[in-house]
Amino acid sequence: MTIRIGKISLWHVHAWDYIKQAQEHEDTVIAAVWDEDPKRGQEAADRLNVPFYASLEDMLAQDDIDAVIVDAPTRLHEEVITAAAKAGKHIFTEKVIAATQVEANVILREIQANGVKMTVSLPRLYAGYTLTIQDVLERGLLGQVTYVRARLSHDGAITDWLPQHFYDLHDCQGGALIDLGCHPMYLTRLFLNQPITDVSAHFGYITGKEVEDNAVATLSTSTGAIGVVEAGFVNSHSPFTIEVHGTEGTLLYGTPDSTLLIRTKVAEGQYTDWTELPVAENVESAFNQWVGHIQNDTEDSANINMAMELTRLMEAANRSAKEGRRVALTELQS
């Protein structure tokens, strides 16, 4: 059965990437477009040779639309995702689920109540380096993890290749951290592999835009392990970097090359010097996994749980930077 997908907005920079994934998958087609910007939506529909709907309600009412891809502004996520769920449409959405835990919980309740499949695009969860790092940690090669650092940045704000609406605080609900920093945030949480108690964040405004273009967030745990998340729109040649440090060893990725290095006291002396580890193959993309869940009536609770945790951490980080203090996750409304 071919899954017919309605496109909800082309606001996000990755919108056309997801359209391409749908076009390349043998079991999915883009069948309709809605956009909060009618001009942009009509242009996309014409390019795709599919109907444009000026009303989201009208598009969701179509019986031949089975699912939606959501690339709407973050501020609209609760509205459009819950509408899609109530209409019985399966949902693939760009991160974050929403800007706050309250909104994310509303979305999750509607997903569960209507029995639709939702997958959040957290692509680096399925990358080979992530899988290899998880294997290293599961084997205990680093001992007790004490410190994780992950950094992702680019030069979008100083070379102006990011669309201007990515600097709109109202639409985006944040800047470099909520957009780009999502990836190091969920990876840091994954590698720490324990609950975060509180978050402290600091934002910089190098280019003077409405949203931060330089950001760091520190995640604290009850054991004393620390996670550091870094993101920026104002960096040239800054490699995507992961560091995982433990009581028995250290693992490095992207310093600066895309190689995985380990040095440890354990493993029978196998890695007493810096040693390059082979990186596993990437697993199936989040989009393809979503299609599989629709077809097989399965779900990936790990994806949803991580997406919900990401929302909590982002909300705490934004609040911390705004209020100039550490924010405990228990302070967030649910």
Side-chain angles (χ1 to χ4, degrees), residues 13-36:
V13 292
H14 293 315
W16 285 100
D17 297 330
Y18 298 129
I19 288 172
K20 182 180 179 182
Q21 290 187 55
Q23 292 172 326
E24 292 177 346
H25 197 292
E26 62 182 5
D27 296 328
T28 61
V29 296
I30 299 294
V33 172
W34 171 85
D35 199 304
E36 73 281 0

Side-chain angles (χ1 to χ4, degrees), residues 127-303:
Y129 51 78
T130 299
L131 303 177
T132 304
I133 293 171
Q134 286 183 279
D135 178 64
V136 166
L137 296 178
E138 288 168 4
R139 292 163 60 193
L141 296 182
L142 303 187
Q144 179 184 347
V145 173
T146 57
Y147 190 91
V148 177
R149 171 180 172 259
R151 175 176 179 79
L152 183 61
S153 61
H154 58 55
D155 60 359
I158 53 177
T159 55
D160 290 329
W161 60 261
L162 272 182
Q164 288 302 306
H165 60 250
F166 260 55
Y167 308 124
D168 184 316
L169 181 60
H170 179 59
D171 271 355
C172 302
Q173 302 290 294
L177 192 67
I178 200 170
D179 173 56
L180 203 57
C182 277
H183 303 293
M185 183 71 85
Y186 62 71
L187 289 177
T188 298
R189 172 63 180 84
L190 178 71
F191 300 144
L192 283 171
N193 193 30
Q194 56 185 296
I196 307 303
T197 57
D198 56 75
V199 178
S200 179
H202 182 74
F203 293 168
Y205 298 82
I206 302 294
T207 59
K209 299 184 186 301
E210 188 177 21
V211 300
E212 83 278 359
D213 51 29
N214 206 21
V216 61
T218 302
L219 315 182
S220 299
T221 67
S222 60
T223 67
I226 296 171
V228 177
V229 178
E230 301 171 12
F233 290 161
V234 288
N235 304 109
S236 299
H237 311 302
S238 180
F240 169 54
T241 303
I242 299 170
E243 300 177 14
V244 185
H245 304 274
T247 53
E248 301 297 324
T250 285
L251 185 148
L252 304 174
Y253 179 81
T255 50
D257 299 321
S258 298
T259 55
L260 197 57
L261 301 175
I262 186 173
R263 188 174 184 183
T264 176
K265 298 176 182 177
V266 297
E268 300 178 350
Q270 188 175 4
Y271 306 121
T272 54
D273 295 318
W274 287 111
T275 305
E276 182 176 346
L277 291 176
V279 174
E281 293 291 326
N282 296 347
V283 297
E284 198 171 31
S285 71
F287 180 86
N288 288 354
Q289 289 183 48
W290 174 60
V291 173
H293 294 317
I294 296 171
Q295 294 172 325
N296 301 311
D297 192 23
T298 55
E299 60 184 50
D300 185 357
S301 58
N303 174 274

Side-chain angles (χ1 to χ4, degrees), residues 96-118:
V96 291
I97 293 181
T100 68
Q101 183 171 265
V102 169
E103 294 170 282
N105 284 340
V106 170
I107 289 170
L108 187 59
R109 284 195 293 268
E110 290 296 339
I111 296 297
Q112 294 171 338
N114 291 280
V116 297
K117 308 299 181 184
M118 182 172 77

Side-chain angles (χ1 to χ4, degrees), residues 31-149:
V33 172
W34 171 85
D35 199 304
E36 73 281 0
D37 179 340
K39 181 176 183 294
R40 181 175 60 203
Q42 184 66 66
E43 289 173 351
D46 292 345
R47 178 174 166 183
L48 293 164
N49 195 28
V50 300
F52 170 71
Y53 288 88
S55 162
L56 178 60
E57 182 180 5
D58 289 347
M59 186 180 81
L60 294 176
Q62 303 305 306
D63 291 335
D64 63 347
I65 299 295
D66 307 302
V68 295
I69 297 174
V70 176
D71 277 295
T74 305
R75 68 173 174 85
L76 294 180
H77 273 206
E78 180 186 357
E79 176 185 341
V80 301
I81 295 176
T82 56
K86 289 175 180 177
K89 312 303 182 186
H90 304 292
I91 298 148
F92 183 83
T93 181
E94 179 62 88
K95 44 70 181 164
V96 291
I97 293 181
T100 68
Q101 183 171 265
V102 169
E103 294 170 282
N105 284 340
V106 170
I107 289 170
L108 187 59
R109 284 195 293 268
E110 290 296 339
I111 296 297
Q112 294 171 338
N114 291 280
V116 297
K117 308 299 181 184
M118 182 172 77
T119 297
V120 183
S121 181
L122 307 174
R124 293 173 192 264
L125 284 182
Y126 314 112
Y129 51 78
T130 299
L131 303 177
T132 304
I133 293 171
Q134 286 183 279
D135 178 64
V136 166
L137 296 178
E138 288 168 4
R139 292 163 60 193
L141 296 182
L142 303 187
Q144 179 184 347
V145 173
T146 57
Y147 190 91
V148 177
R149 171 180 172 259

